[in-house]
Amino acid sequence: LYNETSSASLIKRLFTSECTWLQTSAISSKEENLPEAHFANIFSKLAYTKLDKIVCVSSIVYNEQTIVFNHIDKNKFIKINNGIDIKKFNRSERKQNNIFTIGFVGRISPEKGIIYLLNVLDTLKKRGYLFKFIIVGVASTTAEVEYEKEVSNTISKLGIDTCRYGFQQNLSDIYSQLDIFILPSTGKEAFGLVLCEAMYFGIPVISTNTGGQ
């Protein structure tokens, strides 16, 4: 099994394998004109000709992949939605909150739409609604670190009651606190696993109608 997020060191293995699968969650993005994106595209076009099956994790990934790689036999592409490992979670009794709790889990990245969510929460605050906001996630790239600063400044400026958490190995304690989960992505999500995780805990979810969500 070759996963497209794996390192380029697998190139040799990929091109010498007799039976290779590729799982892809790749969809086009605003960064598709970057040099590394061009390399990845050329590599993928070459690699796909050597594959027996290409697993796409959502309908939008399947649709885009079969269009971009229309030189490949469409029968090689199959759709298998991602699943979650429920063994990782302890779905114990939901915690009783003294205040309505709203949550977000994901990368602290512009395409996640966190600033838009904060502006909506500010509107609710001004209308007199009481709530607490829990945000879980980390910033990895330079652009994400800058965005994280913008998120922190916006939270301070708007005075939103917020609990911040970095990377969490086990999210059970977080999900058990939430009354509603929101994923306001503005970019194309291949498949929002956190939505599945929240629903597994019986939490109502709100998300944007983009990508595979």
Side-chain angles (χ1 to χ4, degrees):
L1 172 66
Y2 174 81
N3 188 309
E4 194 161 20
T5 59
S6 302
S7 75
S9 64
L10 291 174
I11 292 176
K12 181 177 179 181
R13 189 184 307 173
L14 178 64
F15 280 92
T16 57
S17 176
E18 294 182 358
C19 181
T20 308
W21 285 65
L22 179 128
Q23 175 187 356
T24 178
S25 58
I27 54 179
S28 60
S29 69
K30 295 178 181 178
E31 299 178 343
E32 59 189 0
N33 292 321
L34 295 176
E36 54 268 32
H38 282 301
F39 171 78
N41 190 44
I42 292 170
F43 169 67
S44 293
K45 285 186 175 180
L46 291 172
Y48 278 25
T49 62
K50 300 287 290 184
L51 300 173
D52 297 301
K53 290 293 179 182
I54 301 160
V55 180
C56 304
V57 301
S58 65
S59 294
I60 188 171
V61 174
Y62 176 86
N63 293 337
E64 290 210 8
Q65 292 285 300
T66 52
I67 291 172
V68 172
F69 301 105
N70 55 14
H71 64 293
I72 303 295
D73 180 2
K74 196 171 182 178
N75 291 322
K76 283 189 175 185
F77 295 88
I78 60 174
K79 185 186 76 169
I80 303 177
N81 292 133
N82 277 331
I84 59 172
D85 183 2
I86 60 175
K87 294 178 182 177
K88 295 194 311 182
F89 300 106
N90 177 20
R91 193 170 58 172
S92 56
E93 212 172 291
R94 295 277 299 281
K95 295 182 179 178
Q96 298 299 315
N97 299 319
N98 294 323
I99 187 170
F100 191 82
T101 304
I102 301 167
F104 165 88
V105 177
R107 286 183 298 110
I108 310 301
S109 179
E111 61 266 24
K112 295 298 184 180
I114 303 168
I115 298 295
Y116 295 107
L117 174 55
L118 290 173
N119 287 328
V120 170
L121 296 182
D122 182 51
T123 299
L124 294 176
K125 178 172 169 283
K126 288 177 178 177
R127 292 181 180 178
Y129 292 99
L130 299 177
F131 60 85
K132 178 175 70 176
F133 180 45
I134 294 179
I135 179 170
V136 181
V138 296
S140 302
T141 67
T142 301
E144 289 176 354
V145 170
E146 289 302 311
Y147 184 72
E148 184 177 35
K149 293 177 183 177
E150 184 182 353
V151 168
S152 296
N153 290 337
T154 303
I155 290 172
S156 298
K157 177 183 175 182
L158 299 179
I160 295 173
D161 181 8
T162 304
C163 292
R164 291 283 306 274
Y165 296 91
F167 174 75
Q168 300 290 304
Q169 187 68 41
N170 190 322
L171 289 165
S172 297
D173 186 60
I174 299 295
Y175 286 129
S176 65
Q177 299 179 54
L178 303 183
D179 293 298
I180 194 165
F181 180 88
I182 303 179
L183 186 63
S185 303
T186 57
K188 292 180 179 178
E189 292 276 358
F191 190 95
L193 280 176
V194 288
L195 295 174
C196 296
E197 293 173 356
M199 287 190 286
Y200 175 67
F201 278 81
I203 306 166
V205 301
I206 299 174
S207 76
T208 45
N209 184 20
T210 178
Q213 295 186 171

